[in-house]
């Protein structure tokens, strides 16, 4: 067990960001990784030109990297936004315009996990109305994901860094997962279990794993405090990942941490353990 027993992928929206997007897959490959994930790379548009999508597909393929996770359009992220599904008006419209684009792109590169960030509470909007809108949009996203053989991920963020985001506990995200699955009957909505965000919320990580491993579709990690690489903080990440594995989780673990020099930040993981198995 331990780190060498996991299937890791590199989040190219937080690591290697000193490079242009299309150079990041090759950088991850040069560091020994064969699996990567991305936030929605075009923060200004839910519907980028086909040439841009094709160029990203080519960059992934040329590097020999498999995209294993992709966010739907999520507004200005990085930035003030935390998704669009519950945000009334233009943002919800943008999310809907993005659903088929993101699903088709995922299908074209064999990506099996699509993450829909819930979106912030909006001043003056009724939370119940926002939640109703979110469910409508998530049902559409779940159906689109299902058509391309993918799961829909629902993520808990952390309150200190995302004070307007309503899903800041594991149970709050699980509730949405269950509602979406209840509405679609597809069972492909899953929990994105991010150990950093849950730790920042003060949750009992072992308890969350014990309760929700079976509903987990993807895992992300960073150490706390600081959101750095494993070993830079206080979290027993190796033990927690072992616990997840023992609880039956077989999926990928996304490296979603900050590092001034990404290539130099992987010392905690032996080079021979970096290629996805």
């Amino acid at each position: 067990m331990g780190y060498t027993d996991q299937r890791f992928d590199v989040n190219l929206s937080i690591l290697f960001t000193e490079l242009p997007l299309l150079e990041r897959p090759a950088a991850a490959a040069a560091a020994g990784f064969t699996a990567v994930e991305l936030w929605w790379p075009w923060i200004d548009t839910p519907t980028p030109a086909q040439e841009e999508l094709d160029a990203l597909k080519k960059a992934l393929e040329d590097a020999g990297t498999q995209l294993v996770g992709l966010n739907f359009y999520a507004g200005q992220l990085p930035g003030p936004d935390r998704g669009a599904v519950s945000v009334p008006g233009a943002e919800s419209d943008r999310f809907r315009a993005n659903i088929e684009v993101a699903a088709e792109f995922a299908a074209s590169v064999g990506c099996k996990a699509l993450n829909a960030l819930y979106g912030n509470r909006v001043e003056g909007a009724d939370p119940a109305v926002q939640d109703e809108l979110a469910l409508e949009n998530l049902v559409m996203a779940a159906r689109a994901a299902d058509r391309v053989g993918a799961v829909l991920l629902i993520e808990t963020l952390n309150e200190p860094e995302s004070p307007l985001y309503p899903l800041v506990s594991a149970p709050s995200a699980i509730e949405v997962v269950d509602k979406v699955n209840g509405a679609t009957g597809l069972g492909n909505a899953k929990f994105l279990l991010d150990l950093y965000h849950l730790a920042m919320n003060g949750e009992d990580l072992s308890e969350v794993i014990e309760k929700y491993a079976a509903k987990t579709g993807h895992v992300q990690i960073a150490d706390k405090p600081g959101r750095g690489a494993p070993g830079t903080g206080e979290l027993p990440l190796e033990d927690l990942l072992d616990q997840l594995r023992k609880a039956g989780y077989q999926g990928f673990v996304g490296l979603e941490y900050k590092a001034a020099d990404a290539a130099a930040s992987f010392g905690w993981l032996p080079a021979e353990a970096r290629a996805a198995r």
Side-chain angles (χ1 to χ4, degrees):
M1 301 295 276
Y3 287 138
T4 55
D5 196 42
Q6 303 293 336
R7 300 166 75 201
F8 289 106
D9 74 84
V10 176
N11 187 311
L12 297 179
S13 296
I14 195 169
L15 289 166
F16 296 111
T17 53
E18 70 280 3
L19 297 171
L21 174 67
L22 299 181
E23 292 176 24
R24 294 177 207 169
F33 293 92
T34 55
V36 297
E37 63 180 55
L38 279 167
W39 301 340
W40 184 248
W42 298 278
I43 62 173
D44 294 321
T45 178
T47 53
Q50 189 60 46
E51 304 86 82
E52 294 192 59
L53 293 159
D54 292 344
L56 179 55
K57 179 175 190 267
K58 185 175 187 301
L60 291 163
E61 289 170 353
D62 288 352
T65 51
Q66 174 65 50
L67 187 69
V68 298
L70 176 68
N71 282 13
F72 285 103
Y73 170 80
Q76 298 292 312
L77 179 80
D81 298 335
R82 297 289 185 272
V85 301
S86 67
V87 181
E91 278 296 85
S92 170
D93 293 344
R94 287 188 192 105
F95 179 81
R96 291 183 184 193
N98 176 246
I99 290 175
E100 289 303 330
V101 178
E104 286 304 312
F105 182 76
S108 78
V109 295
C111 175
K112 300 296 185 191
L114 288 158
N115 181 26
L117 283 165
Y118 200 81
N120 287 330
R121 290 298 191 218
V122 177
E123 198 177 335
D126 181 343
V129 171
Q130 280 197 260
D131 291 340
E132 197 177 315
L133 176 65
L135 185 58
E136 271 176 42
N137 283 334
L138 291 170
V139 163
M140 281 189 259
R143 289 184 175 137
D146 182 67
R147 286 196 291 275
V148 299
V151 297
L152 172 74
L153 299 171
I154 310 291
E155 182 174 10
T156 294
L157 299 183
N158 76 78
E159 197 163 10
E161 292 172 330
S162 302
L164 299 176
Y165 190 82
L167 307 184
V168 288
S169 71
S172 65
I174 293 289
E175 185 184 345
V176 175
V177 166
D178 291 345
K179 278 182 181 167
V180 174
N181 285 332
T184 64
L186 295 170
N188 72 325
K190 303 276 185 184
F191 180 41
L192 197 169
L193 193 159
D194 184 311
L195 289 166
Y196 168 74
H197 288 312
L198 296 169
M200 286 287 289
N201 286 325
E203 292 189 69
D204 182 326
L205 301 179
S206 288
E207 189 182 307
V208 169
I209 290 167
E210 194 180 316
K211 276 187 178 171
Y212 303 126
K215 292 186 178 186
T216 296
H218 190 61
V219 171
Q220 291 173 334
I221 62 169
D223 216 330
K224 166 190 175 275
R227 201 174 185 174
T232 59
E234 65 196 26
L235 294 182
L237 290 168
E238 198 160 15
D239 295 344
L240 292 164
L241 293 178
D242 280 349
Q243 189 191 340
L244 262 162
R245 180 56 66 93
K246 285 176 188 150
Y249 179 72
Q250 299 288 320
F252 280 93
V253 176
L255 304 179
E256 199 186 49
Y257 62 76
K258 296 176 180 174
D261 181 347
S265 75
F266 301 119
W268 56 275
L269 183 63
E272 63 274 11
R274 295 176 192 176
R277 298 176 298 292

